[in-house]
Amino acid sequence: MTSLPVSTEKRLGLAIDLDTCVGCQACVTACKGWNDQGYGAPLSDQNPYGAEPSGVFLNRVHSYAVQPIEGAAQTINFPRSCLHCEDAPCVTVCPTGASYKRSEDGIVLVNEDACIGCGLCAWACPYGAREMDAAAGVMKKCTLCVDRIYNENLPEEDREPACVRGCPTGARHFGDFADPDSKVSRLSAERGGYALMPDLGTKPVNRYLPPRKKDVRHEASVLAPLLDIKVSGFVGWLDRVLGKI
Amino acid sequence: MNPAPSVIVFSVLSGAGFGLLFFLGLGFAQAMGWTAFLWWGMGYALAIIGLLASTFHLGNPGRAWRAFTQWRTSWLSREAWASVAALLICAPMALSDWLGLGWPRAIGMVGGVLALATVLTTSMIYTQIKAVPRWHHWLTPVMFLGFALAGGAVLAAQSFAPIFLAALALILLAIWQVGDGQFARKAQSLGTATGLDRIGEVTVFEQAHTAGNYLLREMIFAVGRKHAQRLRAIALALAAVIPAVLLAISAGPWAFAVAAVCHVIGAFAARWLFFAEAEHVVGLFYGKR
């Protein structure tokens, strides 16, 4: 049913640390690798080795250059995936009920057996989180690895989304934002985690942790004190005399 | 947004068809016998061809029946219900007009209002999308209803058609004027979309992928914007101004036929622009619009 749940017991989502993300794309490949063989239709590629390859990815990492008012420019890597919005516009527009938000944990999913592939949900999403699979004709999106996080066949440390598990710098954190004591809630509170485009009223669950403030760069050389030589005695007298000539 | 041909064919033809069914249902055409048959047939044909065309852009058209299930939240689902209800309820009125059965006009009035309601639901599919600021405005349903009423009046050969066409011209000028400022009014930029404006000025350093993808093809369609001004002039002239002038001069059957063809071609141009010009906020992440 495409009516959104009034509230969800949990609010599972990601806290993405823009300070530690190095833009290695490991989360992109980990996501593609896992979701290629797990939940629903595989993420197909069209013409993968040709001149114009194209394919479905549920997570993409952008790189931005940000110039602060003072100081040097920064490169900020910016992973973009489904934010599992509380007021998800992609869910309510769905005419078939294929798109839904789970009341138990807040994950937004697509029931691919009911999806007609009209693409309206992808239009309704401001974040570009949904991509149509050209081979299966159904909409694909981040499942928060629903087939990993509850999977008792996996070792406990693997029961988190593939992008989180695969991140080599620990820039991605998975947890329950409804629990104020969870790791992601505390991280978000400590670091000033923010939601994307909050004025669109989608109430995203995922939070982005802004880059920490950079240290102030010292313009003077560390050798500067050594260069300021104070001379005395004969050399000092010579220095004063030569300076006056 | 990607101007998918199936969606343009659908919204133009079914829009005009339902507009015609509205006037026929309300009894404006006052036709009897085979004239009534042809008139109602044209309304049904346009509406049904349009509805069938809309299924061509689906990834899984075989499951289209499921689109009837979510009328509580989805405008697309409401459109499915409204269109079927309009076509079913208009049917006895069409039969009565054709065979002269003299059944109460109230049936046609209900069917006609439902036909117009279908056009409203179509327009709301686009109007509801906040991520496309140009569409998210009350002028969008006004424009869709304007096209349905003007097109319907021309197809139903009504003497007041030139007035509706003139109104359509004003609506088009208004929606283009307002639409051009809509994206800026929402004040979203690469900085606000990423939230990185809290640090400084944001530019794209490197794209997330080197090849194209669904998002770029579907939401960041930039081809049509180049010729927007010329296409607007063509759309305005063909959809509204030329048919209005023509029908003001002559009200013969040939004038109505030429005006109808002219209007529909103009409507295609306008509807193509409606999609091609619309900018989705996801383009901001790519440094595009």
Side-chain angles (χ1 to χ4, degrees):
Chain A
M1 191 50 75
T2 55
S3 304
L4 287 162
V6 181
S7 65
T8 59
E9 285 167 44
K10 287 182 175 181
R11 288 167 60 228
L12 295 185
L14 302 174
I16 296 170
D17 191 343
L18 298 177
D19 199 52
T20 37
C21 176
V22 292
C24 70
Q25 313 272 334
C27 54
V28 178
T29 28
C31 168
K32 181 97 172 180
W34 179 263
N35 287 295
D36 228 5
Q37 53 201 339
Y39 182 95
L43 304 175
S44 72
D45 291 314
Q46 279 69 43
N47 201 17
Y49 304 105
E52 282 185 34
S54 178
V56 183
F57 287 82
L58 310 181
N59 179 35
R60 299 194 184 256
V61 181
H62 296 258
S63 288
Y64 299 118
V66 185
Q67 176 63 61
I69 296 169
E70 281 180 19
Q74 305 172 29
T75 310
I76 296 175
N77 301 294
F78 187 93
R80 179 176 54 78
S81 59
C82 175
L83 309 170
H84 296 278
C85 301
E86 284 179 66
D87 207 345
C90 57
V91 170
T92 48
V93 298
C94 177
T96 69
S99 218
Y100 64 106
K101 185 173 174 70
R102 297 180 9 145
S103 59
E104 61 267 39
D105 53 17
I107 301 179
V108 176
L109 286 176
V110 176
N111 170 12
E112 292 176 10
D113 291 335
C115 177
I116 54 173
C118 68
L120 189 55
C121 55
W123 285 13
C125 173
Y127 311 106
R130 289 170 170 247
E131 297 189 19
M132 181 98 78
D133 190 298
V138 294
M139 195 55 75
K140 300 297 295 185
K141 71 173 294 300
C142 163
T143 66
L144 218 54
C145 284
V146 69
D147 51 349
R148 286 177 69 95
I149 59 176
Y150 299 114
N151 192 337
E152 292 184 357
N153 295 318
L154 294 176
E156 186 140 10
E157 67 265 30
D158 282 339
R159 288 179 211 160
E160 55 183 12
C163 59
V164 176
R165 190 77 183 101
C167 179
T169 63
R172 300 175 76 97
H173 307 271
F174 165 70
D176 179 11
F177 281 93
D179 172 8
D181 288 325
S182 71
K183 184 179 68 179
V184 286
S185 296
R186 281 187 285 118
L187 257 177
S188 180
E190 280 167 25
R191 294 275 307 280
Y194 63 90
L196 298 187
M197 292 195 267
D199 37 346
L200 290 179
T202 52
K203 296 191 209 149
V205 170
N206 283 11
R207 287 290 182 270
Y208 282 80
L209 311 179
R212 292 180 178 88
K213 229 174 157 46
K214 297 286 180 202
D215 290 341
V216 180
R217 224 176 66 173
H218 292 287
E219 291 298 336
S221 163
V222 288
L223 298 172
L226 300 174
L227 294 172
D228 188 19
I229 303 162
K230 296 269 190 297
V231 286
S232 58
F234 173 71
V235 181
W237 173 80
L238 199 62
D239 181 42
R240 282 195 301 278
V241 170
L242 288 173
K244 280 173 187 165
I245 296 170
Chain B
M1 306 298 284
N2 172 30
S6 58
V7 177
I8 294 170
V9 169
F10 152 65
S11 64
V12 169
L13 293 189
S14 74
F18 283 116
L20 174 57
L21 291 180
F22 170 74
F23 287 113
L24 293 178
L26 264 57
F28 275 93
Q30 306 224 325
M32 301 286 280
W34 286 101
T35 319
F37 178 84
L38 286 175
W39 237 327
W40 279 103
M42 180 162 66
Y44 269 88
L46 287 171
I48 291 169
I49 290 169
L51 289 170
L52 287 177
S54 75
T55 64
F56 284 123
H57 86 288
L58 300 181
N60 277 291
R63 299 173 187 159
W65 62 270
R66 288 184 184 269
F68 288 95
T69 60
Q70 304 301 316
W71 50 271
R72 280 190 212 84
T73 58
S74 168
W75 281 106
L76 185 45
S77 189
R78 288 171 196 159
E79 180 197 42
W81 275 106
S83 59
V84 169
L87 294 177
L88 284 179
I89 293 174
C90 280
M93 199 76 263
L95 203 67
S96 165
D97 281 357
W98 172 30
L99 302 173
L101 301 174
W103 289 348
R105 184 49 56 187
I107 304 169
M109 285 176 179
V110 173
V113 169
L114 279 169
L116 214 55
T118 307
V119 178
L120 181 69
T121 57
T122 306
S123 70
M124 286 309 293
I125 293 170
Y126 306 108
T127 310
Q128 68 179 337
I129 299 178
K130 283 187 189 162
V132 184
R134 187 183 282 275
W135 290 350
H136 191 62
H137 195 275
W138 57 267
L139 275 171
T140 303
V142 170
M143 185 269 284
F144 271 76
L145 290 171
F147 264 108
L149 288 172
V154 173
L155 289 170
Q158 295 302 302
S159 54
F160 51 74
I163 299 162
F164 279 46
L165 289 165
L168 176 64
L170 294 178
I171 292 168
L172 283 175
L173 289 172
I175 200 167
W176 289 331
Q177 178 66 32
V178 172
D180 284 346
Q182 272 294 91
F183 206 96
R185 267 191 287 280
K186 300 289 172 189
Q188 295 286 1
S189 63
L190 175 55
T192 61
T194 55
L196 297 176
D197 57 339
R198 66 198 71 214
I199 300 170
E201 196 187 328
V202 191
T203 49
V204 173
F205 179 65
E206 197 174 27
Q207 291 292 5
H209 40 97
T210 50
N213 73 346
Y214 175 76
L215 299 175
L216 292 169
R217 288 190 297 270
E218 192 71 13
M219 261 78 89
I220 312 171
F221 184 88
V223 179
R225 296 173 199 160
K226 205 169 64 177
H227 302 295
Q229 291 304 328
R230 233 167 299 167
L231 269 168
R232 280 180 185 182
I234 292 169
L236 186 69
L238 290 179
V241 177
I242 294 174
V245 171
L246 183 67
L247 292 179
I249 296 166
S250 158
W254 280 107
F256 274 105
V258 173
V261 172
C262 189
H263 167 80
V264 169
I265 294 169
F268 273 111
R271 198 55 47 85
W272 191 87
L273 266 177
F274 175 74
F275 288 97
E277 279 195 298
E279 299 142 318
H280 196 286
V281 293
V282 76
L284 293 172
F285 291 103
Y286 288 89
K288 296 172 180 171
R289 265 173 60 178

